[in-house]
Amino acid sequence: MSANPQFRNLIRFLDESRVEHYGDVGDNSLDSIVGLEVELLHDIDNLTRTGKKAVVHELLPPIASTPIFVCIGLNYRDHAKEAGLDIPPNPVVFTKPSDALAGPTSEIIVPSEAKMMDYEAELCVIISKTGKNISEDDALSYVLGFTAGNDLSSRFWQRAPRSGGQYCFAKSFDGFAPLGPTILHPSLATEDLQIQTRVNGEVRQNASTKEMIFTVKQIIAHVSRGTTLRKGTVIMTGTPAGIAGKMPGQPWLKHGDVVEVEISQIGCLKNKLIFETEQ
């Protein structure tokens, strides 16, 4: 672990002149990042300080792009239980494409084909360098940091008979993976993190990462078996219990709903859903 990490909470943002920067929120509150004056870092490949500061006008996705989202299903015991599924013997892996990336305050456009919309709060891992066959002992050396994500899902396409037993298409629409608002340096994630989802202010998911079945180290080792894990890959580590699809009455997300995903030490995503059918 780094005694003096390059950053505490890394952000990517636009200043008041709409110039893009990387910055460090530092010891400031994560509750109101917009409007803060933060220290600037050179760029994602050189996270040293420039000696300059700028005011945050608009938060962007914490990374500009990703080659792929590698996603883990059924990684919380209570979620597997609510889904009526057995605890898997190894991480259940599926993917989302790069264009699923969205920002921490982006409006999410839900296409007319995406019905029975659901949320999934997830701790996400950003890979810092390309690797393959990574051991558990070395796994954290490949981690840039941790961020919050929402694995938005159309259960209409996830359920039989349309799914064919596959998760990917249901979760792969453009913008269906908002991330942010910050990337927490891995050396500072020294305790379990609290993870919560709220829909229009109503708490839907509330859990701790200590409830994960497979650890971040185990997941990285597993998904890199014989497989190149590219720099910038986002690993979504699974969601806890409380999804809409398993609640009484199945209260699917609807046009205009605001979904918040908050993780301690990282901050809160706040995304409004705009359904194409309602425009």
Side-chain angles (χ1 to χ4, degrees):
M1 297 229 176
S2 173
N4 296 293
Q6 294 172 298
F7 61 87
R8 181 180 181 87
N9 286 92
L10 178 67
I11 57 171
R12 179 171 159 263
F13 69 97
L14 298 177
D15 66 15
E16 293 165 306
S17 299
R18 302 199 68 78
V19 176
E20 181 183 324
H21 302 282
Y22 287 91
D24 184 12
V25 177
D27 294 327
N28 291 298
S29 171
L30 299 177
D31 295 331
S32 53
I33 298 172
V34 172
L36 286 178
E37 184 179 62
V38 299
E39 291 191 69
L40 300 184
L41 308 177
H42 282 95
D43 58 51
I44 196 68
D45 295 314
N46 178 15
L47 291 171
T48 56
R49 298 180 186 273
T50 66
K52 300 177 181 180
K53 294 184 178 182
V55 174
V56 180
H57 178 70
E58 179 183 341
L59 286 167
L60 300 173
I63 52 174
S65 63
T66 179
I68 195 169
F69 290 86
V70 177
C71 308
I72 307 300
L74 301 176
N75 198 29
Y76 285 75
R77 294 183 185 278
D78 284 351
H79 178 49
K81 182 178 179 181
E82 73 174 354
L85 298 170
D86 294 334
I87 301 297
N90 49 259
V92 175
V93 182
F94 61 96
T95 61
K96 294 166 81 95
S98 57
D99 285 330
L101 178 65
T105 60
S106 300
E107 289 190 343
I108 308 300
I109 305 301
V110 180
S112 57
E113 293 83 1
K115 304 169 186 176
M116 298 163 61
M117 283 297 300
D118 212 340
Y119 48 81
E120 291 190 5
E122 312 217 2
L123 177 69
C124 299
V125 181
I126 311 295
I127 296 299
S128 61
K129 59 185 179 182
T130 297
K132 181 178 178 180
N133 296 322
I134 303 166
S135 69
E136 288 186 32
D137 289 342
D138 292 337
L140 292 184
S141 71
Y142 286 80
V143 175
L144 173 66
F146 301 100
T147 193
N150 186 353
D151 178 16
L152 287 165
S153 307
S154 168
R155 304 298 185 202
F156 178 82
W157 292 107
Q158 190 174 348
R159 293 181 175 181
R162 291 167 291 274
S163 67
Q166 300 294 317
Y167 294 171
C168 296
F169 183 66
K171 298 165 172 282
S172 291
F173 296 94
D174 289 357
F176 271 31
L179 298 181
T182 77
I183 298 175
L184 175 68
H185 195 277
S187 70
L188 301 174
T190 57
E191 56 189 41
D192 298 317
L193 302 176
Q194 296 300 123
I195 181 168
Q196 186 176 94
T197 301
R198 298 183 292 273
V199 178
N200 302 325
E202 177 192 6
V203 175
R204 295 283 186 88
Q205 294 180 291
N206 195 18
S208 167
T209 56
K210 70 181 178 183
E211 299 166 30
M212 289 170 58
I213 298 166
F214 301 104
T215 66
V216 168
K217 292 181 180 181
Q218 289 172 323
I219 290 169
I220 292 173
H222 180 71
V223 300
S224 68
R225 296 176 194 264
T227 302
T228 300
L229 205 56
R230 297 286 178 193
K231 176 181 178 178
T233 294
V234 178
I235 302 176
M236 305 188 86
T237 62
T239 198
I243 60 171
K246 296 300 178 182
M247 291 180 64
Q250 296 183 331
W252 305 118
L253 298 174
K254 59 186 184 300
H255 178 70
D257 280 351
V258 175
V259 184
E260 296 172 275
V261 170
E262 185 169 8
I263 300 182
S264 57
Q265 296 185 247
I266 292 172
C268 184
L269 303 171
K270 190 173 184 178
N271 301 101
K272 185 177 182 178
L273 272 61
I274 304 297
F275 283 60
E276 284 185 337
T277 52
E278 301 294 332
Q279 290 183 301

